[in-house]
Amino acid sequence: MKKAVNLRLEERIIVLLNGLSEEFHTTKTEIVERAIEHFSNESRKKQNRLMDFAGKLSGKEAESMLEAIRKDKNSKDFSLDL
């Protein structure tokens, strides 16, 4: 069941959304739903890359890496590379 949602979007995003809707002969809802699913999937892929190291590091190496992440995470601005 679909529910109504109110969003505030930049004018340029609305123009893109309208253009995509016309170009692909689909609804704006479909475009937004697929974009959110894509964003979610891509975010999970990035998180899963860290898991490639699971079991390959010694306990000391893993602790060292986690400590470096903890120290570093608050010292940098966060940005999404899309």
Side-chain angles (χ1 to χ4, degrees):
M1 174 175 65
K2 298 200 184 234
K3 293 186 178 187
V5 176
N6 293 319
L7 299 170
R8 294 178 193 270
L9 301 173
E10 295 288 331
E11 183 67 29
R12 66 181 183 82
I13 300 300
I14 294 169
V15 169
L16 284 171
L17 183 58
N18 289 334
L20 288 169
S21 178
E22 289 177 19
E23 181 180 348
F24 293 105
H25 307 290
T26 190
T27 64
K28 291 176 227 169
T29 298
E30 176 71 16
I31 293 166
V32 171
E33 287 173 344
R34 290 181 66 182
I36 292 169
E37 287 174 354
H38 178 75
F39 181 83
S40 176
N41 290 337
E42 289 300 308
S43 295
R44 285 192 180 101
K45 283 181 192 175
K46 288 178 184 176
Q47 290 172 352
N48 288 340
R49 286 186 210 145
L50 287 175
M51 294 306 293
D52 290 342
F53 293 106
K56 295 181 182 178
L57 300 174
S58 69
K60 187 175 180 178
E61 289 171 322
E63 285 300 319
S64 176
M65 182 182 281
L66 285 173
E67 184 60 27
I69 291 169
R70 281 187 201 106
K71 286 180 181 177
D72 217 30
K73 76 175 187 175
N74 294 325
S75 65
K76 295 181 181 170
D77 291 331
F78 178 75
S79 66
L80 292 174
D81 298 319
L82 301 176

